[in-house]
Amino acid sequence: MNEEKELTEETQPLVLKRLREKFPDALLADAEVSNGISIVVNKENSYAFLEYLKTELAYTLLVDITAVDNSNLESELLQYDYARFMVVYQLYTFEGETQRIRVKVPVHEKDLKVPSVTSLWKGANWLERETYDMFGIDFEGHPDLCRILMPDDFEGHPLRKDYPLRGRGERERFNFDKQNA
Amino acid sequence: MQAGMERTTGEKMVLNFGPQHPATHGTLRIVLELDGETVLKATPHAGYLHTGFEKLGEHLDYNQYIVVTDRMNYLSPLSNNFGYVLAVEQLLGIEVPKRCQYIRILMAELSRLADHLLWLGTAALDLGAFSVFLYSFREREKLYSIFEKTTGARLTTSYTRVGGVFRDLYDGFETDVRDFITNLPKALKETHTLLTRNRIWMDRTKGVGAISPEEAINYGLTGPCLRATGVSHDIRKAEPYSSYNEMKFEVPVGTNGDVYDRYLVRMEEMIQSCRIVEQALDNLPDGPFSVEDNKIMLPHKSDAYGHIEGLIHHFKIVMDGHGVQPPLGDHYCATESPNGELGFYIVSDGSGTAYRIRIRPPSFFHFQALPHMLEGGMVSDTVAVLGSLNVIAGELDR
Amino acid sequence: MGLDFGHRAEPTDGNILTTTIDKVVNWGRRNSLWPMPFGTACCAIEMMATLASKYDLSRFGSEAIRFSPRQSDLLIVSGRISIKMMPVLKRIYDQMPDPKWVISMGACASCGGVFDTYTLIQGVDQFLPVDVYIPGCPPRPEDLIDAVMQVQRQIDKGALPKGSEVA
């Protein structure tokens, strides 16, 4: 069911066709998945791409922003020039046939900057903060990029693969005094 | 100079609301900047219940993780179980038997009732209506006993498995549930007489915390909070999963997107859930309650103890690295949980443990939109608005 | 009515009972434990069920739920406590007047439960003196009632809460 089909000219969804025409160079990969399409876009064009999806193609609901640390996933690393992180956007439209679009943006560890989409969706604010908190992705243009789930003085990014599940001793020693300042 | 204009002094006061406050239902925290009674700025803070669910998903196998999903939205664990296993099954590319789909729908709708009932009780309690709390808990206890008889636990059910449910419904389930859904509308009528036309309730909820449909979509609201604004969007209708395409039900919508509309939408959703439960009971098919694939579902205990094949299958599923192993790839699966769109994004590297599990919680978006609904309003409305959103901390912080 | 008068003076006209001051005080304390519910997660839902119609904790004199730590003498920690939450909990405990008892409800509060992760306190007893632990994930309402009764029994015996021994 989740097998990614090779798309020919006739079978591809209309949305994908328009995207291919509009962004011929930005699309690194695309595939049809069981409930929509999945697209990989380069970082330079990600903002324009998402803006186009929202304003022109009516993908008005930003469902989710998250990231994946691909450092242990060889196939993805090889495919995208050893980009460690993949920022994943999930979009939804209330109209049209292809209801869900997944946009993935590869991010190298050396340059963790990704354009923020808070100007497009207000809901992106906390999602980007969470992705920053958990992975350390730096969303450029975010109004207040700070930790959201972990305490402010926490060090490290827990969902990175090199961070241990049981932490680095934070749960035994933590700051009792900084609360409710 | 008019009287009343002098009420605001122009001086700001910062009020720390939570994380331990009776109306925060757990661990929410809002910092309010007040001018007199008016809220100038509200800053919600999350993370006080961050448990590391997503990290844990990278260390547990697919069936073990079901236990964790229970504890995410603890008002309706069965919906979470359902949403999660559906995502894994879609990743695996399997479909469960009809009877299993119906059982899951039954349990998901019953847990929607449980969720809305608890929401009703606590939201009313926050505004001072104590009797509603007792009434709704009276109904909820009946549901608890049904859940307990079916799954073995009142709250943390862990009922579903990848490829099915772990046991069939008990004898007498139908009588119990039919009894419950015939009585529930009567009990809801009691609540309607207590609240719906109650002057105090209306004054405190009508026009309070309103949000427009455009803003609601921009903030990513889903579920009853989005439907209260007038957007008729329900994933059960828009992208019917499991057997929801065979169920007849209406999607109630509001008009103003305020607290009162959220209340009415949820009340009506309960009636619709009763309808779905009734249809599912009427048409409950016979047959197996899980896929008959020994590589996915554990064999029956008697089989595991009595036959060598059964024992081998049992061993292979339980052993590390031999259980359910979806192919390499990623998948996002959304279900309509009582609060809204509950999504699971799973990345698989082909092993028995997920490479990454991302949970898209509805509450996260609702809590984020809170300042939009509070600012410019009165400080006492904070409690009403927060109560109406039904923000579950376990789901918000994960 | 549960009053056990140890020292009975000469019976006069039947209207006077004498006892020790400790016993009267403990009797009062025992039957009016005012809980401060620190409910964070799943256990809080079961705690609400305990307070609601079917299980009705008020039968044990503990229905006066106080959300202000200043007015309560029984802290029920029900749910997972993260490293971000622990300072809040500690502050609430410190604000409660003596004598104060602590119930650690459920597996997460007692030992971290199934969540052996970077952010979760593996047992609040690392930071608070806990008097009664309740096992279960989550415990049933009967278990919580039993824990309250355990606290009552401890008070009856005249035992001091763990917190006062430490201090």
Side-chain angles (χ1 to χ4, degrees), chain C residues 27-69:
Chain C
W27 174 79
R29 271 183 189 153
R30 190 189 69 167
N31 290 311
S32 64
L33 279 171
W34 285 12
M36 155 87 210
F38 196 82
T40 55
C42 333
C43 290
I45 309 295
E46 285 297 63
M47 184 167 63
M48 271 151 73
T50 318
L51 296 165
S53 9
K54 189 171 173 188
Y55 292 95
D56 197 7
L57 195 60
S58 63
R59 294 177 293 158
F60 302 87
S62 294
E63 84 278 22
I65 290 287
R66 293 292 136 169
F67 284 97
S68 163

Side-chain angles (χ1 to χ4, degrees), chain A residues 64, chain B residues 53-54 65 72 342-344 357-361 398:
Chain A
D64 198 10
Chain B
F53 282 5
E54 292 180 8
Y65 197 67
M72 202 166 57
L342 176 71
F344 286 89
I357 292 185
R358 159 73 184 170
I359 302 146
R360 188 265 184 208
R398 283 150 290 131

Side-chain angles (χ1 to χ4, degrees), chain C residues 18-127:
Chain C
T18 56
T19 177
T20 63
I21 193 97
D22 278 358
K23 290 217 162 170
V24 173
V25 168
N26 283 341
W27 174 79
R29 271 183 189 153
R30 190 189 69 167
N31 290 311
S32 64
L33 279 171
W34 285 12
M36 155 87 210
F38 196 82
T40 55
C42 333
C43 290
I45 309 295
E46 285 297 63
M47 184 167 63
M48 271 151 73
T50 318
L51 296 165
S53 9
K54 189 171 173 188
Y55 292 95
D56 197 7
L57 195 60
S58 63
R59 294 177 293 158
F60 302 87
S62 294
E63 84 278 22
I65 290 287
R66 293 292 136 169
F67 284 97
S68 163
R70 298 279 189 203
Q71 300 170 357
S72 48
D73 48 10
L74 173 66
L75 179 66
I76 304 177
V77 184
S78 48
R80 324 186 267 270
I81 305 295
S82 70
I83 56 174
K84 200 170 174 180
M85 197 59 168
M86 193 60 221
V88 181
L89 177 59
K90 178 79 176 153
R91 178 172 285 216
I92 282 173
Y93 176 77
D94 289 344
Q95 284 181 69
M96 286 168 63
D98 278 320
K100 51 194 172 187
W101 287 266
V102 180
I103 291 178
S104 161
M105 179 180 181
C108 294
S110 305
C111 67
V114 291
F115 301 110
D116 191 2
T117 59
Y118 52 93
T119 167
L120 220 64
I121 300 288
Q122 303 292 301
V124 290
D125 52 2
Q126 295 172 45
F127 305 100

Side-chain angles (χ1 to χ4, degrees), chain B residues 201-311:
Chain B
W201 178 258
M202 287 167 82
D203 282 351
R204 289 213 60 187
T205 55
K206 274 203 161 180
V208 170
I211 188 165
S212 69
E214 295 77 29
E215 283 288 333
I217 291 171
N218 202 321
Y219 271 110
L221 301 196
T222 47
C225 295
L226 178 63
R227 290 194 280 277
T229 66
V231 181
S232 174
H233 173 61
D234 189 319
I235 299 173
R236 291 175 294 173
K237 284 266 190 216
E239 310 162 77
Y241 51 92
S242 205
S243 285
Y244 271 112
N245 50 353
E246 293 162 23
M247 306 291 166
K248 287 194 188 69
F249 64 100
E250 308 292 322
V251 179
V253 288
T255 42
N256 304 320
D258 56 5
V259 177
Y260 189 69
D261 279 11
R262 278 172 221 141
Y263 156 74
L264 287 181
V265 164
R266 281 202 173 89
M267 290 295 273
E268 185 53 33
E269 271 184 22
M270 285 197 259
I271 302 291
Q272 297 301 329
S273 285
C274 286
R275 268 182 73 187
I276 298 176
V277 169
E278 205 170 358
Q279 290 169 50
L281 278 180
D282 288 343
N283 306 320
L284 189 66
D286 288 328
F289 56 84
S290 58
V291 289
E292 284 164 339
D293 182 348
N294 287 323
K295 294 213 162 36
I296 292 169
M297 280 296 286
L298 280 176
H300 194 263
K301 264 277 180 273
S302 61
D303 206 27
Y305 286 142
H307 299 97
I308 185 70
E309 291 85 11
L311 186 65

Side-chain angles (χ1 to χ4, degrees), chain A residues 2 34-35 63-64 66-67 69 72 92 99-100 104 121-123 126 130 148 158 160-161 163, chain B residues 46-48 50 54-55 58 91 215 218 233 239 330-332 341 349 355-356 358 360 365 368 398:
Chain A
N2 65 309
S34 60
N35 54 359
V63 175
D64 198 10
T66 187
D69 180 356
N72 297 340
Y92 181 83
Q99 285 169 320
R100 291 187 185 274
K104 299 199 243 179
W121 290 281
K122 288 176 183 167
W126 277 24
E130 191 189 334
I148 179 166
R160 287 188 175 187
K161 287 285 173 185
Y163 188 87
Chain B
Y48 286 93
H50 180 53
E54 292 180 8
K55 187 84 180 171
E58 298 167 10
L91 194 58
E215 283 288 333
N218 202 321
H233 173 61
E239 310 162 77
D330 58 348
H331 183 69
Y332 178 81
E341 174 166 346
D349 57 356
Y355 185 76
R356 164 115 172 86
R358 159 73 184 170
R360 188 265 184 208
F365 296 81
Q368 179 174 201
R398 283 150 290 131

